[in-house]
Amino acid sequence: MSEGNRAGVGVSLIVRKQKDFLARLYILGVFAIWIAFILVVYKLAGFIGIFVGVFLVIPVALIVRYITVKFIKVEHEYVFSSGIFEITKIENQAVRVPVVRVPVDDIIEFGRVADTGAEEKRKACKKCYFAGVSDEQETSYYFTCDVNNTGEEMYVFDPDDRILNALKRYSPMIEKAARR
């Protein structure tokens, strides 16, 4: 493919990770523990105990908030520009953590998670990162690459048609895999 066909390609997409059952259970459990703690403090120390208990609970509340933000309120941004594909993790719509930045030419394998051989490939990879809507989605795509010459890594993501079309422009292998 000539460079003329590749020029000017730049697209991005943000996908929000769905809260799974354990995340919802975690939030409910934290809320229940919080209420139970306040009731126990009130029962043991009376109304004044609630004010003292609040100061004891603040560090715990900060830790719970950190866990909630870090692992539950997560989005991923896919950016494709000039032959480079990036995935960035966005925590609590504020903190951006780069996940991978790879030239499309360095992608070793590309396909759907439901393809035959994808599970074996995942097990063979040094690392597998799920950057999609859900970890269990059959319609997700994956790619493998060796970013820092440390071994093959797999990334699972949920691109839209704009991202797929941009990736296809740069790689016949991706175009072939996306047709399936």
Side-chain angles (χ1 to χ4, degrees):
M1 202 177 293
S2 71
E3 286 298 319
N5 291 339
R6 295 179 174 190
V9 176
V11 290
S12 69
L13 172 70
I14 294 179
V15 286
R16 174 169 283 162
K17 191 149 184 104
Q18 291 177 346
K19 293 179 184 163
D20 61 356
F21 176 73
L22 290 176
R24 293 175 197 271
L25 189 63
Y26 168 78
I27 292 169
L28 184 64
V30 167
F31 183 71
I33 289 170
W34 187 270
I35 297 297
F37 179 77
I38 290 173
L39 291 175
V40 167
V41 167
Y42 178 72
K43 187 77 169 164
L44 294 176
F47 191 70
I48 283 296
I50 290 178
F51 293 110
V52 174
V54 167
F55 290 109
L56 296 174
V57 171
I58 287 175
V60 174
L62 291 173
I63 292 169
V64 167
R65 175 73 177 147
Y66 173 78
I67 291 170
T68 302
V69 167
K70 189 90 172 155
F71 300 107
I72 296 176
K73 287 184 144 186
V74 174
E75 297 172 321
H76 287 93
E77 180 180 33
Y78 314 139
V79 176
F80 179 81
S81 180
S82 301
I84 306 291
F85 184 61
E86 294 180 65
I87 298 178
T88 305
K89 179 180 179 184
I90 305 169
E91 300 168 352
N92 199 31
Q93 297 180 336
V95 179
R96 295 175 159 272
V97 180
V99 175
V100 67
R101 179 181 170 91
V102 62
V104 174
D105 295 339
D106 291 350
I107 291 177
I108 299 167
E109 192 169 331
F110 186 92
R112 285 203 183 257
V113 173
D115 289 351
T116 54
E119 182 64 25
E120 291 79 25
K121 188 68 174 171
R122 184 184 69 78
K123 290 176 184 174
C125 285
K126 174 186 90 161
K127 167 179 139 181
C128 183
Y129 185 88
F130 291 92
V133 175
S134 160
D135 294 352
E136 303 295 327
Q137 196 154 322
E138 295 278 322
T139 57
S140 297
Y141 285 88
Y142 75 91
F143 68 90
T144 62
C145 59
D146 187 359
V147 180
N148 298 320
N149 296 323
T150 57
E152 211 167 321
E153 301 172 356
M154 178 182 274
Y155 297 90
V156 178
F157 68 116
D158 294 312
D160 64 357
D161 288 339
R162 294 175 311 127
I163 296 283
L164 274 177
N165 288 335
L167 289 170
K168 285 187 227 177
R169 282 181 167 174
Y170 278 78
S171 173
M173 176 206 32
I174 293 174
E175 184 171 0
K176 181 180 172 188
R179 272 193 237 135
R180 289 187 255 156

